[in-house]
Amino acid sequence: MIHSDADGPIRTVTIDRPEARNALTVDGLAALETAVDDAEEPVLYLRGCGPAFSAGADLNEVAALEGDRDRAAEFARLGQRVARTIEDSPAVVVAGIDGPARGGGLELALACDVRVGTPDSTYGEPGVGFGLFGAWGGTVRLPRVVGEGDALEFALSGRPIDAEEALRIGLISRIEDEPRSVAEEIAGNADDALAVLKRRLRDDSERATQERREADAFADLVTAHADDIDALLE
């Protein structure tokens, strides 16, 4: 279901289940997590095989939960863990979205650093129509990416949007016939600069991280300027 191939500085990870619009089972999620975790290249390109990016969670597996609350929460936590693995990867992760990205598939794309859609890409959170919603971190990342107003309208309506509207609200950053070209563009830059930029931009999104860095910087300055501080007291 998951294929992983390296080509120079780019690792391409493909969700390969086109007969099910690349819907993800528990095994598929675990394989995706491993593929991302094992990548050593500076850029990772995530794509779907065939006419869809990913339909998200396999509904057969959701039905197999049989309404068991504990098992449902465990399934959600697995998807969240995979999304965090994507987000926390030292590689710059580019999602190349062609065709539908729905539910959990969209949520995995939201965990990527850069989202690029083709003109035929579409986006939606249809679960609300039958009493569900994506629970792989989407309620956290969606408003962060597009803003609270657009996130609420998009999620609560359940309506699909096309590439142009996705670009307008900031859900994707570019529309390209060949999204991999953006991964190649990024991979042409210095590896260490890419890694540092990703860490700094991602780290600033969490208050605890900001506060820790602030305290560390303060401690460094106090140490470096101890004599100057003493001089102020004389």
Side-chain angles (χ1 to χ4, degrees), residues 83-84 86-87 106-113 115 141 202:
R84 283 197 307 273
I86 293 171
E87 188 172 61
L106 175 60
E107 292 182 293
L108 295 179
L110 283 167
C112 296
D113 302 305
R115 287 163 297 283
R141 294 186 181 92
R202 287 294 200 185

Side-chain angles (χ1 to χ4, degrees), residues 75-169:
F75 184 69
R77 284 192 292 267
L78 172 60
Q80 291 168 356
R81 193 180 75 209
V82 176
R84 283 197 307 273
T85 298
I86 293 171
E87 188 172 61
D88 295 341
S89 170
V92 174
V93 185
V94 179
I97 304 167
D98 188 22
R102 297 288 189 271
L106 175 60
E107 292 182 293
L108 295 179
L110 283 167
C112 296
D113 302 305
V114 178
R115 287 163 297 283
V116 183
T118 70
D120 294 327
S121 61
T122 61
Y123 309 81
E125 285 277 15
V128 68
F130 49 89
L132 292 177
F133 69 94
W136 294 352
T139 59
V140 175
R141 294 186 181 92
L142 183 62
R144 185 188 303 166
V145 169
V146 306
E148 184 178 280
D150 283 320
L152 282 164
E153 191 280 331
F154 176 71
L156 295 174
S157 69
R159 68 183 179 90
I161 62 175
D162 62 15
E164 291 290 345
E165 186 167 359
L167 181 65
R168 180 186 65 78
I169 67 174

